[in-house]
């Protein structure tokens, strides 16, 4: 039988259930004569998983551009049915969600599962408290086991709900505390840090790292105390998850006790790196750098000092064989650890006018990558405020990918320069004086993956998004990247090129005028954004492959802009916006977060005075209305200043103004647009 | 009967076949079809152009399906769960389809499960019509190889 005939046979054997056909037919028929004007919302007709349907007073006409803005103060909840309501005045804390979908909430009684108004106590508060009376901080739930970790009086505590044991993982000291523990997987080469500084500035962070067998709690201490410089030190984590090394403290923690890993404390500001096999650690400071051999972490530590004064930018090859570094800022040296010390290969020494930066080497240690940087626009003096550079080779070490961002301080303006060293040192692209808010490298997950299986197709497409006070600019760069170095010999320079297309969109030339007619540039202050997303303080951005969402403060309002990217599929574009548009203007709002999904569902969390609100803009509305958001689900948000979106449920903690003062409630919504809520107009 | 209801009656089956072929399981396919039908009905239910409504239904279903794929739900084999007893031939073809990458699975589903024309597929996916045609032929060749390579008797192993 031919394959086409087999497919026809398969087709004939595939048909929807009669239940589906009938239920949809009924939904269509029933609603055919009840259709509301679309500007006023829609009824969620499916969604058996919908836990709650909320009717929210809609103010749709105010959503449209041209002076029509969304006023959160106008919102009230009616006909709300919370999943769970706390006692008046009770603070609820959302701990997590179990695999079966049950919500875990910390109440005054302890950790409970809540469902449809009922709760079951799992862990009494006394068990969590132990003998301490200290306040329990934010609790994190182990996604793989019934365990909880939290901070209490500066200690980090792990509670095992199965064994019913309470263990202090990290004890606060005289000059330090722990805070914000979490469950996380730490990966190299970029250490992933959990936690944040606490108000007294004395501590620092705790993370739990993942081992091959199970979630193993390990506390990581970032030493710094009151020294702001020290807090910038980067801890390094050995990949097997067993050990955590902190350079600033010269301490290694393996389970319980700290032991010295370095004979002397590393210099402040050093940036330690551990090789992927955990064998070598390198710490670079102003007076050189040192390489530490971690043959037996915690017990048998041997130090090998390589660098001398004037040496900098050390990088170890992934197989721990080679070390590349700069001497006197101009000579690129490579050391082979297998050879006698002193036989360094000097790769280049004739570029003293430039700053060299060795940033990557190949997995086979065949190549080392370096780049030449030069002052912008011929300036002799230039101040680097922030510089990020990453380079990586493909698996065959044939292609090099590198990205580089540089910020130069000029008043409050950030210059952003992107540089791709594509064979020629001139292959840089200086960006105009704008605020770089986002960039996307098409298909980029990791350079290795980018090039995997594509040795003949090394064209990298890069989207950059900038926001200036009055425009949103997108620039797409197409980089044919074919350059690498083999011990100083430049190779693969053919067909290196950068071509670009760019487009500038005027966001709304009138909208940015304040009441006095002047241009307002103030930006809203936001929480920190994800590390992988480039942004500047005072602006929110979220991006997925197909779209970018930007929030900009303009006067007292927040403007929400959505822009497609070069990766937006045409079919998706047909339902969405062809160009960046202002999709909402939030009057007198303070932005808290912004999130967009691949499906262009946008969530904006903001507060309007005392009204924390989540604005939901769905993708279908965008196209239908041309640009403004007409469909929203606006929900007060107070108990939990965050939300999850994109998995199965969106969970929100709220204070219902119709309920007794201070009563916290938790609402659960399906993330699908069709089952989110019903918006009506009173 | 409204235009939308007429289109619904004639399209629901092919829409479902496309979603099932693309997503690989009944539950997600039904969810995607439900969501897209209701959305299109809600947004465009008052329109009368049958061709336009059909295109909108496919586009919405495609978006809903892509949503689900991007949520990284594991793609089970294309067995129709335990809902129905299926003959070995059907089971083999579902499994064969499940071995294709999602973009190839989609093209095959659009062409052979939903019987769209190359032009319609091109408009839906944003791919040139001729490219669609050549890609589908290439995928069929690939499927033939997979089938023959694994052929022991009449079954895909």
């Amino acid at each position: 039988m031919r394959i086409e005939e087999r497919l026809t046979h398969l087709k004939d054997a595939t048909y929807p259930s009669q239940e589906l056909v009938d239920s949809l037919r009924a939904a269509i028929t029933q609603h055919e004569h009840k259709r509301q004007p679309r500007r006023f919302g829609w009824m969620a007709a499916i969604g058996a998983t919908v836990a709650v349907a909320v009717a929210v007073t809609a103010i749709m006409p105010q959503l449209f551009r041209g002076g029509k803005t969304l006023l959160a103060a106008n919102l009230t909840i009616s006909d709300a049915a919370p999943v769970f309501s706390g006692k008046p005045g009770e603070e609820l804390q959302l701990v997590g969600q179990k695999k079966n979908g049950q919500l875990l909430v910390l109440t005054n009684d302890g950790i409970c599962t809540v469902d449809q108004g009922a709760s079951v106590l799992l862990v009494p508060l006394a068990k969590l408290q132990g003998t301490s009376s200290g306040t329990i901080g934010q609790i994190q739930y182990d996604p793989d086991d019934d365990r909880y970790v939290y901070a209490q009086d500066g200690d980090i505590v792990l509670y095992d709900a199965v064994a019913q044991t309470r263990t202090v993982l990290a004890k606060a000291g005289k000059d330090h505390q722990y805070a914000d523990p979490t469950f996380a997987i730490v990966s190299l080469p970029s250490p992933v840090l959990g936690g944040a500084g606490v108000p007294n500035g004395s501590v620092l962070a705790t993370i739990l790292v993942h081992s091959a067998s199970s979630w193993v709690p390990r506390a990581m201490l970032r030493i710094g105390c009151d020294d702001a410089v020290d807090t910038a030190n980067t801890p390094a984590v050995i990949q097997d998850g067993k050990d955590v090394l902190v350079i600033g403290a010269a301490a290694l923690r393996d389970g319980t006790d700290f032991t010295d890993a370095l004979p002397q404390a590393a210099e402040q500001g050093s940036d330690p790196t551990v090789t992927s096999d955990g064998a070598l650690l390198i710490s670079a400071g102003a007076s050189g750098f040192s390489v530490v051999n971690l043959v037996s972490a915690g017990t048998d530590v041997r130090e090998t000092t390589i660098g001398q004064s004037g040496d900098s930018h050390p990088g170890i090859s992934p197989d721990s064989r080679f070390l590349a570094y700069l001497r006197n800022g101009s000579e690129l040296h490579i050391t082979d650890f297998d050879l006698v010390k002193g036989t360094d290969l000097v790769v280049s020494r004739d570029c003293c006018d430039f700053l060299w930066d060795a940033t990557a080497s190949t997995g086979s240690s065949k190549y080392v990558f370096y780049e030449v940087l030069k002052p912008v626009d011929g300036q002799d003096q230039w101040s680097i405020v922030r510089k990020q550079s990453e380079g990586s080779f493909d698996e065959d070490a044939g292609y090099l990918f590198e990205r580089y961002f540089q910020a130069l301080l000029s008043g409050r303006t950030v210059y952003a320069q992107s540089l791709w060293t594509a064979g020629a040192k001139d292959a840089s692209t200086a960006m105009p004086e704008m605020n770089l808010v986002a960039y996307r490298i098409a298909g980029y997950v990791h350079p290795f993956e980018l090039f995997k299986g594509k040795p003949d197709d090394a064209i990298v497409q890069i989207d950059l998004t900038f926001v200036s006070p009055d425009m949103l600019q997108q620039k797409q760069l197409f980089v044919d990247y074919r350059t690498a170095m083999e011990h100083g010999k430049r190779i693969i320079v053919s067909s290196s090129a950068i071509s670009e297309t760019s487009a500038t969109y005027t966001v709304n030339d009138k909208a940015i005028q304040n009441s006095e007619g002047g241009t307002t540039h103030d930006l809203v202050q936001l929480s920190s954004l994800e590390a992988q997303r480039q942004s500047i303080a005072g602006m929110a951005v979220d991006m997925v492959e197909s779209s970018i969402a930007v929030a900009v403060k303009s006067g007292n309002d927040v403007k929400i802009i959505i822009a497609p990217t070069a990766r937006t599929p045409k079919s998706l574009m047909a339902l969405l916006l062809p160009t960046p548009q202002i999709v909402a203007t939030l009057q007198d709002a303070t932005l808290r977060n912004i999130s967009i999904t691949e499906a262009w569902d946008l969530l904006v969390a903001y507060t309007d005075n005392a009204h924390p609100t989540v604005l939901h803009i769905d993708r279908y509305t965008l196209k239908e209305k041309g640009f403004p958001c007409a469909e929203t689900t606006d929900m007060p948000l107070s108990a939990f200043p965050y939300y999850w979106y994109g998995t199965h449920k969106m969970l929100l903690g709220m204070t219902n103004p119709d309920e007794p003062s201070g009563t916290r409630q938790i609402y659960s919504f399906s993330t699908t647009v069709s089952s989110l809520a019903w918006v009506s107009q009173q | 009967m409204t235009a939308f209801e007429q289109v619904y009656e004639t399209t629901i089956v092919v829409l479902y076949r496309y979603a099932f072929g693309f997503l690989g399981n009944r539950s997600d396919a039904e969810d995607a079809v439900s969501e897209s039908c209701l959305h299109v009905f809600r947004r465009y239910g008052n329109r009368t152009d049958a061709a336009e409504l059909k295109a909108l239904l496919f586009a919405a279903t495609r978006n809903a399906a892509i949503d689900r794929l991007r949520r990284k739900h594991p793609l089970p084999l294309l067995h129709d769960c335990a809902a129905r007893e299926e003959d070995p031939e059907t089971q083999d073809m579902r499994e064969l389809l499940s071995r294709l990458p999602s973009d190839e699975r989609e093209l095959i589903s659009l062409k052979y499960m939903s019987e769209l024309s190359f032009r319609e597929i091109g408009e839906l996916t944003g791919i040139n019509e001729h490219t669609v045609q050549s890609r589908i032929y290439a995928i069929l060749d690939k499927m033939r190889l997979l089938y023959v390579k694994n052929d022991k008797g009449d079954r895909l192993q």
Side-chain angles (χ1 to χ4, degrees), chain A residues 4 14 21 25 32 35 38 42 46 571 575, chain B residues 8-9 17 38 41-43 62-63 124:
Chain A
E4 292 89 337
T14 305
V21 176
R25 183 185 293 123
E32 185 61 35
R35 290 173 55 81
R38 275 171 282 168
W42 49 276
I46 66 171
S571 56
L575 291 173
Chain B
Y8 169 79
E9 296 296 342
R17 285 172 174 163
L38 289 170
F41 166 69
R42 177 165 53 81
R43 305 294 178 191
R62 183 169 193 260
N63 288 334
L124 178 66

PDB file of all heavy atoms in Angstrom, chain A residues 4 14 21 25 32 35 38 42 46 571 575, chain B residues 8-9 17 38 41-43 62-63 124:
ATOM      1  N   GLU A   4       0.644   7.318   0.709  1.00  0.00           N
ATOM      2  CA  GLU A   4      -0.502   8.224   0.646  1.00  0.00           C
ATOM      3  C   GLU A   4      -1.792   7.489   1.001  1.00  0.00           C
ATOM      4  O   GLU A   4      -2.682   8.047   1.669  1.00  0.00           O
ATOM      5  CB  GLU A   4      -0.623   8.833  -0.756  1.00  0.00           C
ATOM      6  CG  GLU A   4       0.499   9.805  -1.123  1.00  0.00           C
ATOM      7  CD  GLU A   4       1.677   9.096  -1.770  1.00  0.00           C
ATOM      8  OE1 GLU A   4       1.816   7.874  -1.532  1.00  0.00           O
ATOM      9  OE2 GLU A   4       2.447   9.752  -2.493  1.00  0.00           O
ATOM     10  N   THR A  14      -9.662   8.818  11.936  1.00  0.00           N
ATOM     11  CA  THR A  14      -9.531   9.910  12.902  1.00  0.00           C
ATOM     12  C   THR A  14     -10.746  10.808  12.813  1.00  0.00           C
ATOM     13  O   THR A  14     -10.997  11.410  11.762  1.00  0.00           O
ATOM     14  CB  THR A  14      -8.254  10.728  12.614  1.00  0.00           C
ATOM     15  OG1 THR A  14      -7.131   9.848  12.603  1.00  0.00           O
ATOM     16  CG2 THR A  14      -8.055  11.795  13.671  1.00  0.00           C
ATOM     17  N   VAL A  21     -18.174  17.486  19.360  1.00  0.00           N
ATOM     18  CA  VAL A  21     -18.946  18.131  18.291  1.00  0.00           C
ATOM     19  C   VAL A  21     -20.245  18.706  18.852  1.00  0.00           C
ATOM     20  O   VAL A  21     -20.616  19.851  18.563  1.00  0.00           O
ATOM     21  CB  VAL A  21     -19.237  17.128  17.163  1.00  0.00           C
ATOM     22  CG1 VAL A  21     -20.125  17.759  16.100  1.00  0.00           C
ATOM     23  CG2 VAL A  21     -17.937  16.629  16.546  1.00  0.00           C
ATOM     24  N   ARG A  25     -21.280  22.633  19.245  1.00  0.00           N
ATOM     25  CA  ARG A  25     -22.472  23.068  18.515  1.00  0.00           C
ATOM     26  C   ARG A  25     -23.452  23.742  19.474  1.00  0.00           C
ATOM     27  O   ARG A  25     -24.035  24.785  19.153  1.00  0.00           O
ATOM     28  CB  ARG A  25     -23.127  21.879  17.829  1.00  0.00           C
ATOM     29  CG  ARG A  25     -24.349  22.273  16.984  1.00  0.00           C
ATOM     30  CD  ARG A  25     -25.044  21.054  16.430  1.00  0.00           C
ATOM     31  NE  ARG A  25     -24.246  20.344  15.452  1.00  0.00           N
ATOM     32  CZ  ARG A  25     -23.907  19.062  15.545  1.00  0.00           C
ATOM     33  NH1 ARG A  25     -24.282  18.357  16.609  1.00  0.00           N
ATOM     34  NH2 ARG A  25     -23.197  18.483  14.607  1.00  0.00           N
ATOM     35  N   GLU A  32     -25.571  32.197  20.022  1.00  0.00           N
ATOM     36  CA  GLU A  32     -25.735  32.919  18.771  1.00  0.00           C
ATOM     37  C   GLU A  32     -26.634  34.126  18.930  1.00  0.00           C
ATOM     38  O   GLU A  32     -26.393  35.175  18.363  1.00  0.00           O
ATOM     39  CB  GLU A  32     -26.317  31.994  17.702  1.00  0.00           C
ATOM     40  CG  GLU A  32     -26.407  32.629  16.336  1.00  0.00           C
ATOM     41  CD  GLU A  32     -25.040  33.030  15.819  1.00  0.00           C
ATOM     42  OE1 GLU A  32     -24.061  32.312  16.090  1.00  0.00           O
ATOM     43  OE2 GLU A  32     -24.960  34.089  15.175  1.00  0.00           O
ATOM     44  N   ARG A  35     -25.120  37.185  21.610  1.00  0.00           N
ATOM     45  CA  ARG A  35     -23.802  37.750  21.421  1.00  0.00           C
ATOM     46  C   ARG A  35     -23.757  39.190  21.903  1.00  0.00           C
ATOM     47  O   ARG A  35     -24.546  40.020  21.506  1.00  0.00           O
ATOM     48  CB  ARG A  35     -23.414  37.683  19.952  1.00  0.00           C
ATOM     49  CG  ARG A  35     -23.157  36.279  19.483  1.00  0.00           C
ATOM     50  CD  ARG A  35     -22.953  36.243  17.999  1.00  0.00           C
ATOM     51  NE  ARG A  35     -21.883  37.161  17.606  1.00  0.00           N
ATOM     52  CZ  ARG A  35     -20.595  36.852  17.689  1.00  0.00           C
ATOM     53  NH1 ARG A  35     -20.243  35.678  18.158  1.00  0.00           N
ATOM     54  NH2 ARG A  35     -19.686  37.700  17.322  1.00  0.00           N
ATOM     55  N   ARG A  38     -18.733  42.971  20.912  1.00  0.00           N
ATOM     56  CA  ARG A  38     -17.448  42.391  21.275  1.00  0.00           C
ATOM     57  C   ARG A  38     -16.588  43.302  22.124  1.00  0.00           C
ATOM     58  O   ARG A  38     -15.721  42.863  22.838  1.00  0.00           O
ATOM     59  CB  ARG A  38     -16.700  41.992  20.006  1.00  0.00           C
ATOM     60  CG  ARG A  38     -17.091  40.630  19.531  1.00  0.00           C
ATOM     61  CD  ARG A  38     -16.508  40.362  18.179  1.00  0.00           C
ATOM     62  NE  ARG A  38     -17.281  41.049  17.155  1.00  0.00           N
ATOM     63  CZ  ARG A  38     -16.868  41.188  15.920  1.00  0.00           C
ATOM     64  NH1 ARG A  38     -15.714  40.722  15.571  1.00  0.00           N
ATOM     65  NH2 ARG A  38     -17.614  41.791  15.037  1.00  0.00           N
ATOM     66  N   TRP A  42     -16.471  38.785  26.573  1.00  0.00           N
ATOM     67  CA  TRP A  42     -16.813  37.474  26.075  1.00  0.00           C
ATOM     68  C   TRP A  42     -17.050  36.536  27.223  1.00  0.00           C
ATOM     69  O   TRP A  42     -16.597  36.704  28.317  1.00  0.00           O
ATOM     70  CB  TRP A  42     -15.722  36.958  25.162  1.00  0.00           C
ATOM     71  CG  TRP A  42     -14.352  37.088  25.750  1.00  0.00           C
ATOM     72  CD1 TRP A  42     -13.548  38.179  25.720  1.00  0.00           C
ATOM     73  CD2 TRP A  42     -13.667  36.093  26.490  1.00  0.00           C
ATOM     74  NE1 TRP A  42     -12.399  37.926  26.361  1.00  0.00           N
ATOM     75  CE2 TRP A  42     -12.425  36.660  26.849  1.00  0.00           C
ATOM     76  CE3 TRP A  42     -13.971  34.777  26.881  1.00  0.00           C
ATOM     77  CZ2 TRP A  42     -11.501  35.956  27.578  1.00  0.00           C
ATOM     78  CZ3 TRP A  42     -13.033  34.089  27.604  1.00  0.00           C
ATOM     79  CH2 TRP A  42     -11.810  34.683  27.942  1.00  0.00           C
ATOM     80  N   ILE A  46     -15.744  27.356  27.478  1.00  0.00           N
ATOM     81  CA  ILE A  46     -15.154  26.077  27.815  1.00  0.00           C
ATOM     82  C   ILE A  46     -14.261  26.267  29.011  1.00  0.00           C
ATOM     83  O   ILE A  46     -14.101  27.341  29.529  1.00  0.00           O
ATOM     84  CB  ILE A  46     -14.337  25.511  26.642  1.00  0.00           C
ATOM     85  CG1 ILE A  46     -13.127  26.402  26.395  1.00  0.00           C
ATOM     86  CG2 ILE A  46     -15.168  25.372  25.417  1.00  0.00           C
ATOM     87  CD1 ILE A  46     -12.160  25.812  25.403  1.00  0.00           C
ATOM     88  N   SER A 571       1.784  33.462   9.769  1.00  0.00           N
ATOM     89  CA  SER A 571       0.444  33.029  10.147  1.00  0.00           C
ATOM     90  C   SER A 571       0.023  33.634  11.471  1.00  0.00           C
ATOM     91  O   SER A 571      -1.152  33.955  11.684  1.00  0.00           O
ATOM     92  CB  SER A 571       0.405  31.510  10.243  1.00  0.00           C
ATOM     93  OG  SER A 571       1.388  31.051  11.151  1.00  0.00           O
ATOM     94  N   LEU A 575      -2.904  37.301  12.677  1.00  0.00           N
ATOM     95  CA  LEU A 575      -3.866  37.524  13.752  1.00  0.00           C
ATOM     96  C   LEU A 575      -3.395  38.601  14.715  1.00  0.00           C
ATOM     97  O   LEU A 575      -4.089  38.938  15.653  1.00  0.00           O
ATOM     98  CB  LEU A 575      -4.095  36.228  14.527  1.00  0.00           C
ATOM     99  CG  LEU A 575      -4.829  35.127  13.765  1.00  0.00           C
ATOM    100  CD1 LEU A 575      -4.835  33.856  14.580  1.00  0.00           C
ATOM    101  CD2 LEU A 575      -6.241  35.566  13.452  1.00  0.00           C
TER     102      LEU A 575
ATOM    103  N   TYR B   8     -18.967  25.526  10.592  1.00  0.00           N
ATOM    104  CA  TYR B   8     -18.610  24.637  11.700  1.00  0.00           C
ATOM    105  C   TYR B   8     -18.928  23.188  11.351  1.00  0.00           C
ATOM    106  O   TYR B   8     -18.108  22.286  11.552  1.00  0.00           O
ATOM    107  CB  TYR B   8     -19.356  25.064  12.959  1.00  0.00           C
ATOM    108  CG  TYR B   8     -19.251  24.052  14.084  1.00  0.00           C
ATOM    109  CD1 TYR B   8     -18.109  23.982  14.870  1.00  0.00           C
ATOM    110  CD2 TYR B   8     -20.295  23.146  14.328  1.00  0.00           C
ATOM    111  CE1 TYR B   8     -18.001  23.037  15.878  1.00  0.00           C
ATOM    112  CE2 TYR B   8     -20.195  22.209  15.324  1.00  0.00           C
ATOM    113  CZ  TYR B   8     -19.043  22.154  16.114  1.00  0.00           C
ATOM    114  OH  TYR B   8     -18.933  21.221  17.093  1.00  0.00           O
ATOM    115  N   GLU B   9     -20.111  22.985  10.835  1.00  0.00           N
ATOM    116  CA  GLU B   9     -20.544  21.621  10.541  1.00  0.00           C
ATOM    117  C   GLU B   9     -19.656  20.958   9.478  1.00  0.00           C
ATOM    118  O   GLU B   9     -19.420  19.759   9.518  1.00  0.00           O
ATOM    119  CB  GLU B   9     -22.010  21.618  10.062  1.00  0.00           C
ATOM    120  CG  GLU B   9     -23.003  22.096  11.125  1.00  0.00           C
ATOM    121  CD  GLU B   9     -23.062  21.179  12.340  1.00  0.00           C
ATOM    122  OE1 GLU B   9     -22.622  20.024  12.267  1.00  0.00           O
ATOM    123  OE2 GLU B   9     -23.554  21.645  13.395  1.00  0.00           O
ATOM    124  N   ARG B  17      -8.960  16.602  12.733  1.00  0.00           N
ATOM    125  CA  ARG B  17      -7.932  15.704  12.177  1.00  0.00           C
ATOM    126  C   ARG B  17      -6.584  16.412  12.087  1.00  0.00           C
ATOM    127  O   ARG B  17      -5.537  15.836  12.356  1.00  0.00           O
ATOM    128  CB  ARG B  17      -8.376  15.217  10.794  1.00  0.00           C
ATOM    129  CG  ARG B  17      -9.468  14.167  10.865  1.00  0.00           C
ATOM    130  CD  ARG B  17     -10.008  13.849   9.484  1.00  0.00           C
ATOM    131  NE  ARG B  17     -10.965  12.737   9.544  1.00  0.00           N
ATOM    132  CZ  ARG B  17     -11.839  12.453   8.580  1.00  0.00           C
ATOM    133  NH1 ARG B  17     -11.880  13.213   7.489  1.00  0.00           N
ATOM    134  NH2 ARG B  17     -12.653  11.431   8.712  1.00  0.00           N
ATOM    135  N   LEU B  38     -14.398  28.378  19.493  1.00  0.00           N
ATOM    136  CA  LEU B  38     -15.117  29.357  20.291  1.00  0.00           C
ATOM    137  C   LEU B  38     -14.535  30.759  20.118  1.00  0.00           C
ATOM    138  O   LEU B  38     -15.259  31.751  20.117  1.00  0.00           O
ATOM    139  CB  LEU B  38     -15.101  28.942  21.761  1.00  0.00           C
ATOM    140  CG  LEU B  38     -15.986  27.722  22.047  1.00  0.00           C
ATOM    141  CD1 LEU B  38     -15.757  27.195  23.448  1.00  0.00           C
ATOM    142  CD2 LEU B  38     -17.456  28.087  21.857  1.00  0.00           C
ATOM    143  N   PHE B  41     -15.637  31.956  16.715  1.00  0.00           N
ATOM    144  CA  PHE B  41     -17.063  32.253  16.785  1.00  0.00           C
ATOM    145  C   PHE B  41     -17.296  33.569  17.530  1.00  0.00           C
ATOM    146  O   PHE B  41     -18.081  34.418  17.109  1.00  0.00           O
ATOM    147  CB  PHE B  41     -17.800  31.120  17.500  1.00  0.00           C
ATOM    148  CG  PHE B  41     -19.198  31.487  17.908  1.00  0.00           C
ATOM    149  CD1 PHE B  41     -20.188  31.682  16.963  1.00  0.00           C
ATOM    150  CD2 PHE B  41     -19.522  31.656  19.244  1.00  0.00           C
ATOM    151  CE1 PHE B  41     -21.473  32.040  17.348  1.00  0.00           C
ATOM    152  CE2 PHE B  41     -20.798  32.008  19.627  1.00  0.00           C
ATOM    153  CZ  PHE B  41     -21.780  32.198  18.670  1.00  0.00           C
ATOM    154  N   ARG B  42     -16.600  33.716  18.616  1.00  0.00           N
ATOM    155  CA  ARG B  42     -16.793  34.907  19.439  1.00  0.00           C
ATOM    156  C   ARG B  42     -16.320  36.160  18.714  1.00  0.00           C
ATOM    157  O   ARG B  42     -16.926  37.214  18.825  1.00  0.00           O
ATOM    158  CB  ARG B  42     -16.023  34.713  20.744  1.00  0.00           C
ATOM    159  CG  ARG B  42     -16.069  35.874  21.680  1.00  0.00           C
ATOM    160  CD  ARG B  42     -15.591  35.451  23.061  1.00  0.00           C
ATOM    161  NE  ARG B  42     -14.296  34.810  23.006  1.00  0.00           N
ATOM    162  CZ  ARG B  42     -13.135  35.479  22.944  1.00  0.00           C
ATOM    163  NH1 ARG B  42     -13.149  36.787  22.934  1.00  0.00           N
ATOM    164  NH2 ARG B  42     -11.997  34.836  22.917  1.00  0.00           N
ATOM    165  N   ARG B  43     -15.217  36.014  17.973  1.00  0.00           N
ATOM    166  CA  ARG B  43     -14.651  37.193  17.327  1.00  0.00           C
ATOM    167  C   ARG B  43     -15.252  37.464  15.951  1.00  0.00           C
ATOM    168  O   ARG B  43     -15.437  38.610  15.566  1.00  0.00           O
ATOM    169  CB  ARG B  43     -13.137  37.030  17.172  1.00  0.00           C
ATOM    170  CG  ARG B  43     -12.410  36.732  18.457  1.00  0.00           C
ATOM    171  CD  ARG B  43     -12.499  37.914  19.384  1.00  0.00           C
ATOM    172  NE  ARG B  43     -11.842  37.625  20.656  1.00  0.00           N
ATOM    173  CZ  ARG B  43     -11.937  38.388  21.730  1.00  0.00           C
ATOM    174  NH1 ARG B  43     -12.677  39.460  21.696  1.00  0.00           N
ATOM    175  NH2 ARG B  43     -11.309  38.066  22.827  1.00  0.00           N
ATOM    176  N   ARG B  62      -4.271  26.376  14.597  1.00  0.00           N
ATOM    177  CA  ARG B  62      -2.811  26.264  14.500  1.00  0.00           C
ATOM    178  C   ARG B  62      -2.138  26.997  15.661  1.00  0.00           C
ATOM    179  O   ARG B  62      -1.213  26.484  16.294  1.00  0.00           O
ATOM    180  CB  ARG B  62      -2.337  26.855  13.174  1.00  0.00           C
ATOM    181  CG  ARG B  62      -0.843  26.718  12.950  1.00  0.00           C
ATOM    182  CD  ARG B  62      -0.482  27.088  11.514  1.00  0.00           C
ATOM    183  NE  ARG B  62       0.879  26.669  11.230  1.00  0.00           N
ATOM    184  CZ  ARG B  62       1.923  27.498  11.254  1.00  0.00           C
ATOM    185  NH1 ARG B  62       1.748  28.763  11.558  1.00  0.00           N
ATOM    186  NH2 ARG B  62       3.136  27.048  10.987  1.00  0.00           N
ATOM    187  N   ASN B  63      -2.618  28.182  15.941  1.00  0.00           N
ATOM    188  CA  ASN B  63      -2.032  28.920  17.062  1.00  0.00           C
ATOM    189  C   ASN B  63      -2.237  28.181  18.375  1.00  0.00           C
ATOM    190  O   ASN B  63      -1.334  28.110  19.215  1.00  0.00           O
ATOM    191  CB  ASN B  63      -2.648  30.318  17.148  1.00  0.00           C
ATOM    192  CG  ASN B  63      -2.170  31.214  16.029  1.00  0.00           C
ATOM    193  OD1 ASN B  63      -1.090  31.025  15.491  1.00  0.00           O
ATOM    194  ND2 ASN B  63      -2.995  32.166  15.653  1.00  0.00           N
ATOM    195  N   LEU B 124      -1.676  29.372   5.193  1.00  0.00           N
ATOM    196  CA  LEU B 124      -1.802  29.156   6.629  1.00  0.00           C
ATOM    197  C   LEU B 124      -0.453  29.199   7.332  1.00  0.00           C
ATOM    198  O   LEU B 124      -0.314  29.795   8.400  1.00  0.00           O
ATOM    199  CB  LEU B 124      -2.484  27.804   6.890  1.00  0.00           C
ATOM    200  CG  LEU B 124      -2.649  27.411   8.360  1.00  0.00           C
ATOM    201  CD1 LEU B 124      -3.611  28.362   9.066  1.00  0.00           C
ATOM    202  CD2 LEU B 124      -3.163  25.975   8.463  1.00  0.00           C
TER     203      LEU B 124
END
